[in-house]
Amino acid sequence: MGLTVKATIASFGGKLFKLSHPSTSTGTDMAVNLYLPPQALKSQTKVPVLFYLSGLTCTPDNCSEKGFFQHGASQRGLAIVYPDTSPRGLNLPGEKDAWDFGEGAGFYVDATQEPWAKGYKMDTYITRELPSVLFGADSEFGKYLDADKVSITGHSMGGHGALTLYLKNPGMYKSVSAFAPIANPCECAWGKKAFAGYLGEENKEEWKKHDATELIKGEKWRGHKDARVLVDVGTGDNFYKQGQLLPENFEKAVKEAGVEGVTVRYQEDYDHSYYFMASFSDEHVDHAAKYLGLL
Amino acid sequence: MGLTVKATIASFGGKLFKLSHPSTSTGTDMAVNLYLPPQALKSQTKVPVLFYLSGLTCTPDNCSEKGFFQHGASQRGLAIVYPDTSPRGLNLPGEKDAWDFGEGAGFYVDATQEPWAKGYKMDTYITRELPSVLFGADSEFGKYLDADKVSITGHSMGGHGALTLYLKNPGMYKSVSAFAPIANPCECAWGKKAFAGYLGEENKEEWKKHDATELIKGEKWRGHKDARVLVDVGTGDNFYKQGQLLPENFEKAVKEAGVEGVTVRYQEDYDHSYYFMASFSDEHVDHAAKYLGLL
């Protein structure tokens, strides 16, 4: 359970901690970055927490350097947690063969198929183990983090992760937002490849349990009046144009299910990159801050 | 003189253009990024311009992705120009042998020593050629850029470049700022290596013409009452600790020369990275905006 501090970096008046810890979910050491805003460090009080889930190939460092979330986190007074996107170093056969499956591409599900069932447990890692590691009694950072005020966001595969972990676990997170999420993985190439590999080619009913467009239609959310969901998609995003994101399918499901409190915005000309996220990260931090009692 | 647009990227309500053009100063094609804020694109009016000079090894992309200058530029309504740090592709002997000399390390001087005199003319490129390429009649971007309202900033080697080009050319830029600048290159290892190579081991008097600490003491600036200089240095910066930056020498020279309007700030715990610059880029944009008539 022990956290090792690999680096401490001053950023926007707070500190970014590059951390590592042994994980029982993945059977590997896991890297994670934690940003503590000045409000936490100076007043030694607990602040709300926003989990940011990264996209394909990314490590905790990409968004820490290029996402600009620390700017908004420092303004509003919340901490940001940047987990990794998969176990690394399991050395499973084929683990490094593709950029959209295996290492760097855990898809935030618990794999049931061999060899992936050995360690690719990113749902359990993000929702159960990592919070206990960061917020628990053994954590030197626990005194800064309010375990009862947590929201979640993410980008691309991480947008899928944020939406599905939120929708699967009502009450665990106060709100959710996503940038260019894979909103209907059961129907796009990335999702079909990942779910076939991690969950089994034939288990289509199981796939639906990890698909935001399917989950929003389920009994937990049908007719819900305060879903607290914000999604941004760039109209210049090539992956959107290629049908990997399918936000319209999610919007259609929201309407059919009579769910309220879901905002999907299409940002003209923006692409799939961190240039897009940096341009709107303040607004996503504010979306979380509103439901975390900071606005 | 023609500019080729390699990419157009939406960022903070404006557009970042990745450009390339043949350069007569360097004898190569030169990459340069240009950010146009929404104020320029929407109202088709000319906006003031801030040149950002990058540090050792960097290309125009590093700060475009990680510096967050576009955030402030969009707020205040100014354009940002991100030039490259040297010619690339001259294939001079030894050009790629070191990260602190040759390619990616032009030091913003016009080399007088062979083989570097062939193409390493970054002073002329930044102060003469690039403005004519961007602002000139042949430029499709000229209609957006106010050639009479230009300021300059930079990081590390680029901070040296910004300070020295500003101090050598009174009136060319409305103000200058620098992050962790090499403020006294005649006295640090990086500067001695670069100046010996580009200007000649023995030409110490020539070296002083390209050293901010020497220039601020010169006749152009001695006793000046409105220098319009802002410098930030992080106290956790290892290159500062190693004596590569020497901002105290610059401060001492400012005091001895009776120059007013110079602010040097030491930011606690900040390092030499883009995390440092991103945290203060809004303030440096505001420093420029003030003297460009935007604040």
Side-chain angles (χ1 to χ4, degrees), chain A residues 8-16 18 33 61 64-71 268-271 273-276 278-280 282, chain B residues 8-16 18 33 61 64-68 70-71 268-271 273-276 278-282:
Chain A
T8 303
I9 301 168
S11 175
F12 288 103
K15 293 286 169 67
L16 182 77
K18 295 191 178 188
N33 288 354
D61 290 345
S64 301
E65 292 175 357
K66 298 191 285 189
F68 206 39
F69 282 83
Q70 284 104 260
H71 177 266
E268 187 178 1
D269 293 344
Y270 282 86
D271 64 17
S273 76
Y274 286 93
Y275 285 107
F276 166 49
S279 301
F280 297 97
D282 278 355
Chain B
T8 303
I9 301 168
S11 174
F12 287 104
K15 293 283 169 70
L16 182 78
K18 295 192 178 187
N33 289 355
D61 290 345
S64 300
E65 292 176 358
K66 297 191 283 188
F68 298 114
Q70 286 104 260
H71 177 264
E268 186 177 2
D269 293 343
Y270 283 87
D271 62 18
S273 75
Y274 286 92
Y275 284 107
F276 166 51
S279 301
F280 296 97
S281 55
D282 278 356

Side-chain angles (χ1 to χ4, degrees), chain B residues 7-87:
Chain B
T8 303
I9 301 168
S11 174
F12 287 104
K15 293 283 169 70
L16 182 78
F17 299 89
K18 295 192 178 187
L19 307 172
S20 174
H21 69 95
S23 166
T24 55
S25 315
T26 67
T28 64
D29 281 352
M30 291 294 285
V32 57
N33 289 355
L34 170 66
Y35 177 70
L36 292 182
Q39 294 88 338
L41 295 165
K42 287 177 182 151
S43 60
Q44 297 261 328
T45 54
K46 294 191 176 193
V47 296
V49 182
L50 178 61
F51 277 68
Y52 168 86
L53 303 185
S54 294
L56 289 164
T57 76
C58 290
T59 72
D61 290 345
N62 301 76
C63 192
S64 300
E65 292 176 358
K66 297 191 283 188
F68 298 114
F69 282 84
Q70 286 104 260
H71 177 264
S74 175
Q75 281 188 322
R76 301 306 178 200
L78 55 80
I80 311 255
V81 176
Y82 301 95
D84 206 346
T85 48
S86 79

Side-chain angles (χ1 to χ4, degrees), chain B residues 81-231:
Chain B
V81 176
Y82 301 95
D84 206 346
T85 48
S86 79
R88 296 178 189 271
L90 284 171
N91 299 315
L92 301 177
E95 191 174 34
K96 298 179 189 290
D97 292 357
W99 63 274
D100 58 359
F101 186 80
E103 199 164 281
F107 268 83
Y108 305 101
V109 296
D110 286 354
T112 59
Q113 306 299 299
E114 294 303 332
W116 313 105
K118 178 183 180 310
Y120 278 72
K121 301 289 188 185
M122 290 302 290
D123 180 332
T124 296
Y125 174 70
I126 298 292
T127 60
R128 305 291 195 280
E129 183 177 15
L130 185 54
S132 73
V133 168
L134 289 172
F135 307 151
D138 300 349
S139 169
E140 66 192 271
F141 299 102
K143 62 177 182 286
Y144 298 114
L145 304 171
D146 187 343
D148 297 323
K149 290 184 179 175
V150 180
S151 281
I152 192 165
T153 184
H155 172 232
S156 196
M157 175 184 74
H160 145 76
L163 289 170
T164 54
L165 297 183
Y166 175 82
L167 295 171
K168 284 191 276 185
N169 300 286
M172 181 176 284
Y173 306 102
K174 302 299 185 190
S175 66
V176 66
S177 73
F179 297 83
I182 302 171
N184 191 188
C186 290
E187 300 301 327
C188 76
W190 276 340
K192 290 176 180 175
K193 178 179 180 179
F195 286 0
Y198 295 132
L199 305 174
E201 179 67 54
E202 304 310 319
N203 304 331
K204 298 288 166 53
E205 284 308 307
E206 182 63 23
W207 293 18
K208 294 180 180 177
K209 299 176 184 172
H210 311 285
D211 182 311
T213 296
E214 296 293 337
L215 285 162
I216 200 73
K217 292 185 289 189
E219 59 181 15
K220 289 176 179 173
W221 292 95
R222 182 170 293 280
H224 200 290
K225 300 304 178 199
D226 183 26
R228 304 180 173 186
V229 179
L230 171 64
V231 174

